[in-house]
Amino acid sequence: MEVESLAREMETAVRVVHLASSLCVKVQEKLRLPSSTNGNGGGHVKSKEDDSPVTVADWGVQAIVSWVLAEVFGTQNLSIVAEEDTDSLSKSESLGLLHSVSNAVNEALSEAHKYCLPKPDKPLGSHDILKAIGRCNSTGGPKGRHWVLDPVDGTLGFVRGDQYAVALALIEDGKVLLGVLGCPNYPVKKEGLRNGCNQSGAGSVSKGCVMYAKRGSGQAWMQPLIPGGYPESTTLLKASTVDDPVLATVCEPVERANSNHLFTAGLANSMGVRKQPMRVYSMVKYAAIACGDAEVFMKFAQSSYKEKIWDHAAGVVIVEEAGGVVSDAGGRKLDFSKGVYLEGLDRGIIACSSTVLHDKIIGAVYASWESSSL
């Protein structure tokens, strides 16, 4: 598919992520209210079977993106792979939560026209909300076109008032064609993330942006988040030119369950990295590399952990089009053609701002691996 033919898909994806990010900002503000200090965000947070949190924003974003994509592209051949389902939201004890999701969705969609997106003739009912969320039940695969959505990547960061991302990508025949990341708490001022990677951006000149890229364009872009509207300004993103590990800034996941911090620390030390790692929630790590705030993202999960495509698709294409490199620890490109999971992943994931730095890290991985306990 030619890059130029993706204009409609790209524009729709960017605009709907702006709209979805505005919903997230409002929900996160409610989570910070004194009445939300009871451990479950005032009823806005629920635990999934794996004890990870899911919020009104997770379901709300999924409903909005699904509904807009269906309105723009039709439902006949619409395939959406997304993280959330309707199982727990459909239960009788979740009526209050469903009501909160419906309110958040309808409040956001009432402003859809400000983003040049379709707007429903009347507020969506609970049935419509559940239908939109449930529509996102595709499992992807090697053939066809699939939208891939993580409605709130880094929900734990979201609940804690920290970094998170709305991530939307389009995959066709196993190849990521475009990616969009909404980062509502990203400190947009120069080197903002380096100066406070685990802060929500309070005190910075401005915060919140949407980053996006199309495969093969050689360009990645950033727009500021504007409350209740679509921005006119756009900034070209370029990955850092630093290729000396001594000068590099390394990102890694916050949660120890998702990455082996000891191995990454040993690997960084063996390469001469001097700076302390930035531990960042969500795909914001990819965003930091794309805009030059960091040079390396490394993740080495336990062998039993399986990476999901919605946690990486959008970030990978944005980093690569900004001039960076992403691969598994064996140097192979990530394979998005196997369904929901990144099957065949060699040990871990490495994203770098340059080929030179990437090659050095791959070499260090091979040298360090045998002594690790992964």
Side-chain angles (χ1 to χ4, degrees):
M1 172 177 285
E2 295 295 327
V3 171
E4 289 77 10
S5 67
L6 291 172
R8 188 178 179 217
E9 288 83 353
M10 186 82 258
E11 182 174 2
T12 300
V14 171
R15 290 178 182 274
V16 78
V17 169
H18 269 281
L19 178 61
S21 296
S22 72
L23 178 150
C24 289
V25 170
K26 293 174 182 177
V27 173
Q28 192 177 56
E29 288 174 352
K30 292 179 180 178
L31 290 177
R32 294 179 178 180
L33 294 176
S35 61
S36 298
T37 58
N38 58 5
N40 73 338
H44 279 62
V45 183
K46 194 176 183 71
S47 293
K48 292 191 279 190
E49 290 184 3
D50 60 359
D51 289 331
S52 61
V54 59
T55 70
V56 166
D58 290 88
W59 282 304
V61 168
Q62 188 158 314
I64 284 177
V65 172
S66 172
W67 187 87
V68 169
L69 291 179
E71 288 293 307
V72 175
F73 301 108
T75 60
Q76 186 172 359
N77 297 309
L78 184 63
S79 171
I80 307 175
V81 184
E83 183 168 15
E84 308 306 337
D85 57 41
T86 61
D87 289 350
S88 60
L89 196 59
S90 301
K91 295 178 180 178
S92 57
E93 62 265 28
S94 297
L95 282 176
L97 188 60
L98 178 57
H99 180 68
S100 296
V101 172
S102 298
N103 286 343
V105 169
N106 284 310
E107 182 182 355
L109 285 177
S110 70
E111 297 186 335
H113 62 285
K114 296 179 181 178
Y115 301 87
C116 296
L117 292 172
K119 175 184 173 182
D121 296 330
K122 60 181 180 179
L124 301 183
S126 297
H127 174 76
D128 302 313
I129 301 291
L130 291 171
K131 182 179 179 182
I133 296 171
R135 185 185 292 120
C136 307
N137 60 358
S138 173
T139 55
K143 298 296 182 183
R145 172 180 286 196
H146 311 284
W147 291 95
V148 177
L149 170 69
D150 193 337
V152 179
D153 182 44
T155 302
L156 190 57
F158 177 82
V159 171
R160 293 176 175 176
D162 213 312
Q163 296 296 332
Y164 66 97
V166 177
L168 181 62
L170 180 61
I171 294 177
E172 186 166 82
D173 296 339
K175 305 295 183 183
V176 183
L177 298 183
L178 62 85
V180 186
L181 282 179
C183 306
N185 282 340
Y186 196 94
V188 178
K189 71 175 183 178
K190 183 61 178 173
E191 296 189 329
L193 198 66
R194 293 183 193 265
N195 293 334
C197 67
N198 291 330
Q199 303 300 318
S200 62
S204 61
V205 173
S206 61
K207 67 172 182 176
C209 61
V210 171
M211 302 182 188
Y212 59 94
K214 287 188 285 190
R215 171 70 62 198
S217 67
Q219 297 176 326
W221 300 92
M222 179 173 69
Q223 293 177 335
L225 275 182
I226 298 177
Y230 189 76
E232 295 181 1
S233 61
T234 304
T235 303
L236 182 65
L237 298 177
K238 275 297 177 186
S240 168
T241 57
V242 171
D243 57 16
D244 184 350
V246 173
L247 304 175
T249 297
V250 177
C251 286
E252 64 180 5
V254 175
E255 303 93 334
R256 293 181 182 275
N258 287 351
S259 188
N260 189 314
H261 287 171
L262 287 176
F263 180 77
T264 54
L267 185 62
N269 183 64
S270 71
M271 295 174 58
V273 174
R274 295 176 180 174
K275 298 180 181 179
Q276 287 296 309
M278 293 199 308
R279 289 180 178 166
V280 186
Y281 290 104
S282 80
M283 261 186 277
V284 166
K285 294 179 282 290
Y286 284 113
I289 294 176
C291 68
D293 278 346
E295 284 74 37
V296 180
F297 161 38
M298 294 188 289
K299 182 178 182 183
F300 295 92
Q302 300 297 328
S303 58
S304 59
Y305 183 83
K306 298 182 73 173
E307 298 284 353
K308 301 177 182 69
I309 60 174
W310 53 66
D311 287 325
H312 300 280
V316 167
V317 68
I318 291 171
V319 166
E320 290 179 343
E321 296 305 311
V325 182
V326 184
S327 75
D328 66 15
R332 299 179 302 187
K333 293 286 187 181
L334 306 189
D335 186 354
F336 293 93
S337 70
K338 303 298 185 183
V340 171
Y341 297 103
L342 288 173
E343 302 287 359
L345 197 65
D346 187 349
R347 293 169 287 188
I349 294 174
I350 297 172
C352 292
S353 57
S354 70
T355 302
V356 173
L357 196 54
H358 178 264
D359 290 347
K360 290 178 180 177
I361 293 177
I362 294 295
V365 169
Y366 276 103
S368 303
W369 191 258
E370 289 186 1
S371 63
S372 78
S373 59
L374 286 182

